[in-house]
Amino acid sequence: MEPDFYDIRIIDTRASSIVLDNDEIKETSHSFIRGASVRALVGGAWGLVTTESPDGLREALKEAVRLAKAAGEREKKGRIELAPIKKPLVRDLPTIRKNPEDVDIEEKMELVREISGSAQKPGVSSVRTVYSESEVSVEYSNSDGVRGCYTLPRIGFSITAVAHENGDYQAARESRFAVSGFELFDREDPLVIASETADIAKSLLGARSARGGLMPVILDPELAGVFIHEAVGHAAEADHVLEGYSVFEGRLNTMVGSPLITVCDDPTIHEYGYYPFDDEGAEPRKTVVIENGLLRSYLHNRETAGRLGGVSCNARADGSSRPIVRMSNTYIDKGESTFEEMLEEIECGVYLIGSRGGQVDPGDGIFQFNAERGYLIEDHELKTLLKDVSLSGDILEMLNEVVAVGSDLKMHSGQCGKAGQVVPVSDGAPHVLVKRAIVGGSG
Amino acid sequence: MNLNLEEALRLGERAGADEVEVYAVSNRSIEIEIKRDTIELARESLVHGVGIRAVVDGAVGFASTNREERLSDAATLAVKTARLRRSNPKWRGLPSRTEHPVVKGLYDRKIEDIGVEECIDHAFEMIRGVAGTRETSPVRGRVTCTTTEHEILNTSGVEALEKATVADAYIETISRRDGETATAYDFEVSRRIDGINFYGIGKSAAELSRRSLGTTKVLSERTTVLLQPMAVADLLEQTFVPALSAENVQKNRSSLRGRLHTTVASEDLTIIDDGLVRGGLRSAATDDEGTPSQRTMVIEKGVLQTYLYDKYTADQDETVSTANAIRYTYNQTPVISTRNFIIEYPDSGVIEETRSGVIIHSFIGAHTANPITGDFSVEARNSFTIRDGEIREPIKTMMLAGNVFELLQNISGAGSDVKNLGSIITPTLRIEEMKIV
């Protein structure tokens, strides 16, 4: 039988990495992995077959149709209508100046050793440096006649420094990942970044634990970016909304936060979450999620856009997994305040810097994330350095408590996990002042 | 596709490796995805690939592929990168051929033979389990049945072939009342399909999310905290398990460095890492580089007995591997992790004995804990107050802050509700004097 819709993706990945642990190369690895994914829609359910081989795709399609029928036949379900998409025109691909494949592995190892050396200072007990590069080729086609292909290189490094003193260990981590060739290392000075990371780890040895409580906080661009990704971005994913699992359900075109807040997701900019077309073949577009506090739009794939209305351009998949609604490059847009003006507002509070990750339950709107470090703010000045400090609370309360947004927007690259799939993203923000937030710490 | 493993061994040796290891895995799985109360997707996936480790002068190179025509490139690159590395004089070699123990209960023919229709039946059982609870519905869920065959071959004569099955079921639920919502999840994982109570998973998640409605706020204080099995696992996996890794100890980023044969936990606490548990989810004849599985006493009555080793780190310490090399996929090198990590503590009526405290089901953000110092500050999920030996009101938001190494010293009791969460097997643990915010 004929499915209502099907699509086929073939993904070819070449990846390599070098892990230097203290002075020892812990790992050098190369991989050549191919995957194919065949998806079929019959009525109200999907069938999906994933294999490594693009051979036998016709058989795989038949099996996907059988699975879709089996999944849908037990109950009366509404048909899934997919929103139309604009056919992709692959254009504006980032220019690659130095193909990493043309750089000798010896040179890469030398670079990794230099980065590591730059972080090895007295008091630093352990340094771990990771270099990785990959090149992914995607070939997409579907039963609507949409076709496309592209090849995209990604590259980057991370450095983790651990400082040790009197039984106390403190770690700091920094990374730069980009859609780029080897020229990334000309743009970003990895040796300076490594050296600063080591200094941060050392400084944390003398830091105090934060005393928890409700207080005004300033978030630095990295942490504010994590907040906007974790707490706002995930809740704006339309699949969460349709599951009844988002605090933004039923709130389109209502105020969900301070009028100072504008949040966008933009896969067209050449940050780490960039894609030439999404994993359903749709042309990428910028989405304004929140405009001056007003919830404007969710993020969609074709299925969610078909149900709720909206533009579909955020379908992404990890390898041959199924495309689901994902973010790309997500940020709080620039405001007008300066950091000094924010400090002027605070008699007693905390400045939170960097991120050790976070998590959110978009259903009940609760989030939690940890800063890498912080400073106690007393009498409008940065005072004591704080470690192991975290922020938690309710998404909507937090968005409403924003009283100033800076003009110093900065993006950070990272990986985002959802439903067991990991995709490259970036998030960012300027400095943000929040009048009241729950700070956690053991002090 | 046909990946010839003996051929890969020969290719590596021909390229100049002293030793070569080939790890091949072949998986077939069926997965059913639940969205709200319907089946959204049925998936069948096949995975088949190899990872090749080549050793030259004790330096290890690695490459992987799932493409037959790239097998030779992968073998050559593994050798080439090994040559670029400094030699390691302490390396004594890949595991060599020995007798392998036999572990029963790892394979269930019913799972290998299962069809998509039967998996769908199980998904509906789970959905029905939710339906009996008022004000509550499923959000999403999953039923997965996987059959895995893996093979390890090396030039020292190791030949380990094992076939195993896993069934895994998971559901999240949401409860609503008067504009308030609460969520919860539950899961079970087993080597046997009959080992999973699909209806029960739905029911327990649903009851937990409904019980979590009508929250109260709690004040910051130090109090008695009961961590249910998922909460224990969430915390230990992020903090305590990395500290036990011999690699982290050798590289000076473990708080347990130098603590061998000293008291690191409550003297009633015993922890055993056991790769031989019948039907265990981390059981197998060997670990993922071919060292025969064993039962390892990690903490005995509060005293740290050993770190967890793979072959490489064991050679560096001139000791023997504890068979803790784990691979999650064929395209990564093994890492040190737990096998079945069994936490034992004398059980008692921990809830009834508690005059005042809180009980926590699981955490959000446990991965943000500091893996070296063990400091954490995490958000509790589905937590409740305890007064006079009874569970009372659900708590709106609560953070738990502390240090995992102090926590282990302050255990004062355990429940009888031992749960197997995949790699960690634990009851509820009661901890005194924890900081809640």
Side-chain angles (χ1 to χ4, degrees):
Chain A
M1 84 170 269
E2 286 293 304
D4 299 327
F5 170 85
Y6 70 84
D7 63 3
I8 296 170
R9 282 184 309 121
I10 299 167
I11 307 107
D12 235 316
T13 309
R14 182 191 63 72
S16 60
S17 63
I18 303 169
V19 181
L20 186 73
D21 216 331
N22 293 340
D23 279 329
E24 178 202 7
I25 299 272
K26 152 90 177 145
E27 190 175 317
T28 49
S29 89
H30 293 264
S31 63
F32 308 98
I33 312 286
R34 175 174 283 179
S37 143
V38 180
R39 191 171 68 140
L41 175 65
V42 178
W46 293 95
L48 177 70
V49 173
T50 62
T51 70
E52 295 106 325
S53 161
D55 310 331
L57 287 178
R58 188 172 294 273
E59 287 309 304
L61 177 57
K62 261 193 208 158
E63 178 63 11
V65 172
R66 192 183 77 82
L67 291 171
K69 277 183 62 185
E73 71 191 0
R74 215 68 68 79
E75 52 197 330
K76 281 223 168 13
K77 284 179 64 172
R79 287 171 63 87
I80 292 175
E81 301 289 346
L82 301 180
I85 52 166
K86 274 185 116 169
K87 287 191 188 183
L89 285 171
V90 175
R91 59 183 169 208
D92 189 31
L93 280 169
T95 319
I96 305 306
R97 294 199 170 77
K98 284 190 202 166
N99 186 343
E101 255 194 309
D102 298 339
V103 179
D104 270 353
I105 179 132
E106 287 87 347
E107 189 180 326
K108 291 170 189 165
M109 282 189 170
E110 189 46 42
L111 173 72
V112 172
R113 286 210 170 88
E114 278 177 25
I115 297 174
S116 176
S118 175
Q120 278 158 356
K121 306 181 175 191
V124 172
S125 58
S126 162
V127 176
R128 184 180 163 91
T129 314
V130 179
Y131 164 87
S132 70
E133 65 179 53
S134 70
E135 187 181 80
V136 181
S137 297
V138 177
E139 236 183 282
Y140 180 85
S141 62
N142 73 20
S143 53
D144 299 340
V146 172
R147 302 232 172 320
C149 62
Y150 66 82
T151 297
L152 209 59
R154 290 192 179 85
I155 194 164
F157 72 97
S158 71
I159 179 130
T160 309
V162 177
H164 180 198
E165 187 181 76
N166 300 333
D168 187 16
Y169 291 84
Q170 291 297 328
R173 182 180 182 278
E174 195 53 73
S175 65
R176 294 288 185 278
F177 286 92
V179 174
S180 166
F182 207 71
E183 67 272 16
L184 172 77
F185 297 98
D186 304 333
R187 276 206 309 274
E188 302 275 355
D189 189 337
L191 304 187
V192 171
I193 292 166
S195 166
E196 287 170 357
T197 307
D199 291 340
I200 290 169
K202 284 172 64 175
S203 70
L204 285 172
L205 286 172
R208 269 184 29 206
S209 294
R211 186 177 307 156
L214 198 62
M215 61 190 79
V217 297
I218 301 174
L219 310 184
D220 87 323
E222 183 176 349
L223 190 59
V226 171
F227 168 72
I228 219 62
H229 171 99
E230 296 290 344
V232 176
H234 281 299
E237 291 166 342
D239 52 350
H240 283 315
V241 176
L242 280 164
E243 280 164 356
Y245 205 66
S246 165
V247 286
F248 288 154
E249 184 184 0
R251 290 186 199 262
L252 271 188
N253 297 313
T254 67
M255 291 298 282
V256 294
S258 149
L260 294 170
I261 289 276
T262 292
V263 178
C264 305
D265 180 88
D266 189 353
T268 69
I269 51 179
H270 289 168
E271 294 287 344
Y272 204 47
Y274 166 80
Y275 39 85
F277 55 81
D278 79 359
D279 287 322
E280 293 183 317
E283 187 177 58
R285 278 175 56 165
K286 173 175 167 177
T287 304
V288 178
V289 177
I290 295 175
E291 188 173 15
N292 301 326
L294 197 69
L295 183 65
R296 278 283 183 210
S297 179
Y298 302 130
L299 301 175
H300 289 289
N301 63 9
R302 292 188 66 182
E303 181 176 348
T304 64
R307 290 199 179 172
L308 293 174
V311 177
S312 168
C313 61
N314 283 78
R316 302 183 69 188
D318 178 357
S320 53
S321 302
R322 68 182 300 216
I324 54 177
V325 182
R326 302 304 293 263
M327 282 171 263
S328 61
N329 305 304
T330 315
Y331 57 91
I332 301 178
D333 213 352
K334 286 177 198 169
E336 287 168 355
S337 303
T338 64
F339 186 68
E340 290 68 33
E341 286 164 358
M342 293 183 194
L343 278 181
E344 274 311 304
E345 298 291 317
I346 301 183
E347 267 177 34
C348 181
V350 171
Y351 175 37
L352 295 162
I353 304 169
S355 166
R356 287 213 167 113
Q359 209 174 333
V360 65
D361 185 322
D364 44 23
I366 302 299
F367 68 86
Q368 188 274 343
F369 42 90
N370 282 25
E372 184 177 71
R373 63 206 151 104
Y375 285 95
L376 205 57
I377 303 173
E378 284 168 335
D379 293 331
H380 320 291
E381 278 178 37
L382 299 183
K383 294 279 173 70
T384 323
L385 183 65
L386 302 172
K387 63 180 179 180
D388 298 314
V389 55
S390 71
L391 190 72
S392 66
D394 178 290
I395 298 171
L396 297 176
E397 281 176 20
M398 179 90 166
L399 282 174
N400 273 306
E401 298 284 350
V402 171
V403 289
V405 175
S407 57
D408 47 355
L409 169 63
K410 214 174 146 198
M411 304 295 290
H412 278 86
S413 301
Q415 303 278 342
C416 169
K418 176 179 173 185
Q421 299 191 42
V422 177
V423 297
V425 295
S426 76
D427 43 59
H431 277 94
V432 171
L433 170 60
V434 183
K435 205 164 84 192
R436 287 184 323 154
I438 304 165
V439 173
S442 54
Chain B
M1 187 185 32
N2 181 18
L3 295 165
N4 185 330
L5 306 188
E6 281 88 5
E7 175 69 14
L9 278 190
R10 276 196 301 277
L11 284 167
E13 280 188 308
R14 218 176 297 146
D18 303 335
E19 301 170 84
V20 187
E21 173 202 69
V22 178
Y23 173 88
V25 66
S26 181
N27 265 336
R28 176 180 171 268
S29 66
I30 294 177
E31 179 168 287
I32 307 301
E33 283 186 22
I34 298 165
K35 192 146 274 191
R36 294 202 159 180
D37 54 0
T38 68
I39 307 300
E40 184 183 53
L41 173 129
R43 168 177 178 165
E44 186 180 324
S45 54
L46 300 168
V47 171
H48 183 45
V50 298
I52 302 171
R53 281 200 293 174
V55 187
V56 181
D57 282 339
V60 185
F62 179 76
S64 61
T65 189
N66 61 1
R67 300 171 58 182
E68 195 183 355
E69 73 277 14
R70 287 290 207 168
L71 197 59
S72 154
D73 287 349
T76 317
L77 269 169
V79 179
K80 185 183 172 193
T81 51
R83 281 179 191 284
L84 290 173
R85 296 173 56 173
R86 253 170 262 172
S87 65
N88 184 322
K90 287 196 165 174
W91 171 258
R92 287 189 302 216
L94 291 166
S96 48
R97 183 184 201 118
T98 46
E99 285 290 299
H100 294 160
V102 176
V103 188
K104 296 214 163 128
L106 306 185
Y107 170 78
D108 177 9
R109 174 163 288 283
K110 282 188 190 163
I111 292 181
E112 183 168 22
D113 292 346
I114 205 164
V116 63
E117 287 77 11
E118 201 183 326
C119 292
I120 289 170
D121 288 341
H122 290 312
F124 277 116
E125 270 174 66
M126 203 156 60
I127 292 171
R128 275 197 299 278
V130 178
T133 302
R134 282 185 297 121
E135 302 166 319
T136 302
S137 50
V139 177
R140 69 174 81 87
R142 187 181 68 228
V143 172
T144 313
C145 286
T146 305
T147 306
T148 302
E149 273 182 274
H150 77 255
E151 190 169 358
I152 306 164
L153 287 185
N154 74 24
T155 48
S156 301
V158 164
E159 275 187 62
L161 175 70
E162 191 140 343
K163 189 170 182 177
T165 51
V166 180
D168 182 354
Y170 169 88
I171 198 155
E172 287 175 42
T173 57
I174 189 162
S175 300
R176 292 188 173 82
R177 184 191 301 149
D178 306 331
E180 186 191 358
T181 63
T183 61
Y185 70 89
D186 199 10
F187 70 93
E188 283 182 20
V189 47
S190 171
R191 294 283 187 190
R192 293 180 311 114
I193 191 83
D194 297 338
I196 291 189
N197 179 352
F198 293 93
Y199 185 88
I201 298 168
K203 187 162 189 260
S204 94
E207 288 178 352
L208 182 60
S209 65
R210 183 158 183 273
R211 279 202 295 126
S212 302
L213 287 170
T215 54
T216 181
K217 290 199 173 179
V218 289
L219 301 172
S220 292
E221 61 170 335
R222 287 197 178 268
T223 186
T224 302
V225 173
L226 275 68
L227 302 177
Q228 290 181 284
M230 286 185 202
V232 172
D234 284 348
L235 268 189
L236 293 194
E237 276 173 359
Q238 298 301 326
T239 50
F240 186 61
V241 170
L244 285 171
S245 152
E247 184 188 350
N248 288 333
V249 174
Q250 289 169 2
K251 295 200 168 131
N252 201 8
R253 48 172 182 250
S254 164
S255 291
L256 294 176
R257 182 182 164 110
R259 304 291 306 277
L260 221 47
H261 308 301
T262 67
T263 300
V264 298
S266 154
E267 61 183 27
D268 284 322
L269 183 77
T270 290
I271 297 180
I272 297 155
D273 181 76
D274 190 348
L276 300 169
V277 177
R278 186 191 172 100
L281 290 150
R282 291 271 178 102
S283 294
T286 70
D287 72 355
D288 289 335
E289 57 181 4
T291 300
S293 296
Q294 62 175 45
R295 180 180 159 92
T296 309
M297 186 63 76
V298 179
I299 288 182
E300 188 170 19
K301 300 202 175 304
V303 176
L304 179 64
Q305 303 294 328
T306 183
Y307 304 118
L308 302 178
Y309 288 95
D310 63 359
K311 184 63 171 65
Y312 183 87
T313 52
D315 283 358
Q316 307 310 306
D317 272 4
E318 293 170 3
T319 180
V320 291
S321 169
T322 52
N324 286 93
I326 306 282
R327 302 200 204 221
Y328 297 101
T329 90
Y330 66 87
N331 60 22
Q332 284 166 9
T333 51
V335 295
I336 296 178
S337 189
T338 58
R339 305 295 295 275
N340 303 290
F341 197 70
I342 305 163
I343 293 164
E344 293 180 349
Y345 195 97
D347 69 289
S348 61
V350 276
I351 296 169
E352 298 81 66
E353 293 162 9
T354 302
R355 279 196 47 216
S356 170
V358 297
I359 183 165
I360 297 171
H361 177 263
S362 55
F363 291 112
I364 292 182
H367 65 286
T368 62
N370 183 328
I372 302 172
T373 59
D375 289 331
F376 61 83
S377 173
V378 293
E379 177 77 26
R381 228 184 113 131
N382 303 114
S383 55
F384 299 84
T385 58
I386 300 179
R387 269 196 317 282
D388 302 325
E390 276 179 39
I391 296 178
R392 304 285 174 110
E393 305 87 8
I395 297 168
K396 181 151 196 292
T397 61
M398 179 177 76
M399 295 200 61
L400 185 73
N403 178 286
V404 76
F405 301 103
E406 285 169 23
L407 179 154
L408 289 173
Q409 308 263 12
N410 294 336
I411 299 172
S412 68
S416 51
D417 54 343
V418 176
K419 188 158 167 128
N420 186 343
L421 298 155
S423 69
I424 293 186
I425 300 170
T426 181
T428 291
L429 296 178
R430 183 179 60 207
I431 326 290
E432 299 300 332
E433 286 286 303
M434 293 276 307
K435 171 102 187 264
I436 58 170
V437 182

